[in-house]
Amino acid sequence: MKPVKIAMMGMTHGHTRKYYQTLLDNKKLDWVASCAQDEDAKATYELYKTGVPCYLDPEEMYKNHPDIEAVVIASANDQHFAQMKWCAEKGIHILSMKIPTFDMKEYDEMIAMCDKAGIVCQVELEMHYNAVVQRLKKLIKDGAVGKIKAIQMTNITLSPVWAFPWQGDPKASFGSVKRLKKGDERFMGGALCDHPHIFDLIRHLTGSDFDYIYAEVAPNLRDGLKVEDMLMAIGKMKDGTSFLFDPSWSRLEEKIKVPGPGWERFPKRMEVNVTITGEKGMLTCDCFGPNVYHNGAPNDRYTVQYTYFDEWIGLIDEFVACIREHKEPLINLKWHKQTIESMLGCYESINTGKIAYI
């Protein structure tokens, strides 16, 4: 299969550094150019010495590389609409970060313009390609636990706001400046916006859509954040499955500009844990289960070894196949819309103190 000529735009997202390796190592891709959001993003990019030319103007990038077939949109959430529009107008396929937009009018326009252009728009939710999740799906399909009754999931990490400040900026993260609730000084746009994976995954595991959600926020662990960093959500799917979600920034980090050694603090920085309760039994799994080596004093640091990039092989395999074979990706804009609506339901519930129906 001919490699896809691909570029990357923005490069201010937390997943960007994972793409540096993925785009260079995957033989199905030919990484030809990048376009940084600003001089700071370009300076950080140049630390990695990829050998791929980097621009500050997308038009200049396209002028020099008119053969670009696909773009990874790796930018702040409020930049996605304009960048998708740019790609659609040029017939360029899109691999979008996990939150296309929280504005449902914008979302419908994204769907329409991608359909009109006839381009692939795949949303990057790499958990589907995780080996543990793949096995979990098979066990459920094979009837290991019978009919699912309840699902408990965590998607907890450190906070990326020190290295990627837009994730602590309500406008850049949520798309508009809205208070969490009356009497709360914080705004929508924090940890919830960083963790759509479990809201998506439950739909695949149950084959059902959301019915209602109730969510609450806790006081922040971190000083100085304008957005939420701790919350939980409960609710039911339309098939009756109950759920309990923890999508928090509950793991602490050191405040450094470029993630690297010293970023981690004990305990492990990222966990996606799933417990499925069914009529015939229970399944529980740690989707990342890394080796952790605690280095101790003085900064309570540790070394961690993930197999994280394994997920990105399957993700890219699907993206390339969809482009070359004119197929629709599993996580397409139309499918992903209700996942975003369920997250908006969490914010509605936090704001009103009541159940939100999706």
Side-chain angles (χ1 to χ4, degrees):
M1 189 177 290
K2 182 182 177 183
V4 169
K5 291 187 178 296
I6 195 165
M8 181 157 50
M9 293 178 67
M11 301 190 299
T12 57
H13 197 281
H15 285 183
T16 299
R17 69 188 189 280
K18 298 178 185 122
Y19 276 114
Y20 293 160
Q21 179 178 330
T22 301
L23 298 181
L24 284 170
D25 291 352
N26 197 304
K27 301 303 181 185
K28 295 184 178 181
L29 302 174
D30 180 8
W31 187 13
V32 297
S34 290
C35 184
Q37 187 71 33
D38 50 38
E39 289 285 2
D40 283 347
K42 186 175 181 181
T44 300
Y45 170 80
E46 288 171 350
L47 294 174
Y48 290 85
K49 302 186 188 320
T50 65
V52 177
C54 184
Y55 303 86
L56 290 171
D57 177 17
E59 291 297 338
E60 183 186 1
M61 176 181 74
Y62 188 67
K63 179 181 177 181
N64 288 302
H65 306 276
D67 54 347
I68 291 172
E69 298 177 86
V71 162
V72 178
I73 294 180
S75 54
N77 293 341
D78 68 341
Q79 301 296 310
H80 293 171
F81 181 80
Q83 292 174 353
M84 280 196 186
K85 186 173 185 290
W86 185 87
C87 290
E89 288 171 349
K90 290 175 170 53
I92 294 172
H93 303 288
I94 299 166
L95 184 55
S96 169
M97 290 297 103
K98 48 199 175 180
I99 305 294
T101 179
F102 281 109
D103 182 321
M104 289 295 101
K105 182 176 181 295
E106 275 192 352
Y107 205 114
D108 288 340
E109 290 179 28
M110 286 177 172
I111 292 171
M113 64 193 185
C114 290
D115 284 350
K116 182 179 179 181
I119 59 174
V120 172
C121 184
Q122 179 173 325
V123 182
E124 180 234 85
L125 291 179
E126 72 277 4
M127 283 306 302
H128 286 281
Y129 313 96
N130 176 280
V132 174
V133 171
Q134 289 290 318
R135 185 169 182 223
L136 180 63
K137 285 182 178 180
K138 185 178 188 305
L139 286 167
I140 291 170
K141 183 179 179 181
D142 292 346
V145 296
K147 178 176 169 46
I148 296 174
K149 306 295 287 183
I151 296 180
Q152 185 269 329
M153 286 196 270
T154 60
N155 185 181
I156 52 179
T157 62
L158 42 67
S159 172
V161 300
W162 321 114
F164 308 102
W166 71 263
Q167 292 197 249
D169 180 330
K171 173 65 169 61
S173 180
F174 185 68
S176 58
V177 181
K178 293 185 178 179
R179 288 210 179 271
L180 276 171
K181 57 183 178 178
K182 187 177 180 180
D184 197 311
E185 294 301 311
R186 295 169 294 173
F187 300 90
M188 302 176 186
L192 178 61
C193 296
D194 197 25
H195 296 137
H197 306 281
I198 52 181
F199 293 87
D200 170 78
L201 197 54
I202 192 173
R203 297 174 62 208
H204 289 272
L205 295 177
T206 63
S208 184
D209 283 329
F210 286 92
D211 187 4
Y212 61 83
I213 285 180
Y214 176 79
E216 288 194 2
V217 286
N220 279 2
L221 283 177
R222 299 158 181 84
D223 294 331
L225 278 191
K226 297 179 181 179
V227 293
E228 82 283 350
D229 69 1
M230 295 280 287
L231 71 153
M232 295 193 80
I234 60 173
K236 279 201 173 181
M237 307 300 285
K238 290 188 184 297
D239 70 350
T241 301
S242 300
F243 62 83
L244 171 63
F245 290 163
D246 181 358
S248 299
W249 285 333
S250 58
R251 295 298 183 259
L252 291 176
E253 67 289 318
E254 291 194 47
K255 300 177 183 180
I256 57 178
K257 185 173 175 55
V258 179
W263 179 251
E264 306 90 355
R265 289 177 61 182
F266 191 79
K268 58 187 179 181
R269 68 183 174 209
M270 176 179 64
E271 294 189 54
V272 177
N273 300 312
V274 183
T275 299
I276 311 288
T277 302
E279 291 179 336
K280 293 166 58 178
M282 177 183 288
L283 284 168
T284 185
C285 57
D286 178 349
C287 298
F288 289 114
N291 297 314
V292 178
Y293 307 96
H294 187 199
N295 300 331
N299 295 318
D300 203 23
R301 292 177 178 171
Y302 67 96
T303 301
V304 60
Q305 180 63 51
Y306 285 106
T307 57
Y308 197 84
F309 286 103
D310 292 356
E311 285 86 60
W312 296 61
I313 297 171
L315 185 150
I316 294 299
D317 283 350
E318 181 183 10
F319 185 54
V320 171
C322 287
I323 291 171
R324 293 289 181 244
E325 300 168 18
H326 308 288
K327 300 190 300 186
E328 188 172 56
L330 178 69
I331 315 297
N332 57 75
L333 284 173
K334 291 173 185 173
W335 161 268
H336 193 50
K337 185 178 178 182
Q338 199 197 85
T339 295
I340 299 297
E341 288 173 337
S342 71
M343 298 168 76
L344 288 171
C346 287
Y347 279 130
E348 178 188 338
S349 177
I350 290 167
N351 183 44
T352 64
K354 300 177 182 179
I355 285 173
Y357 287 87
I358 310 305

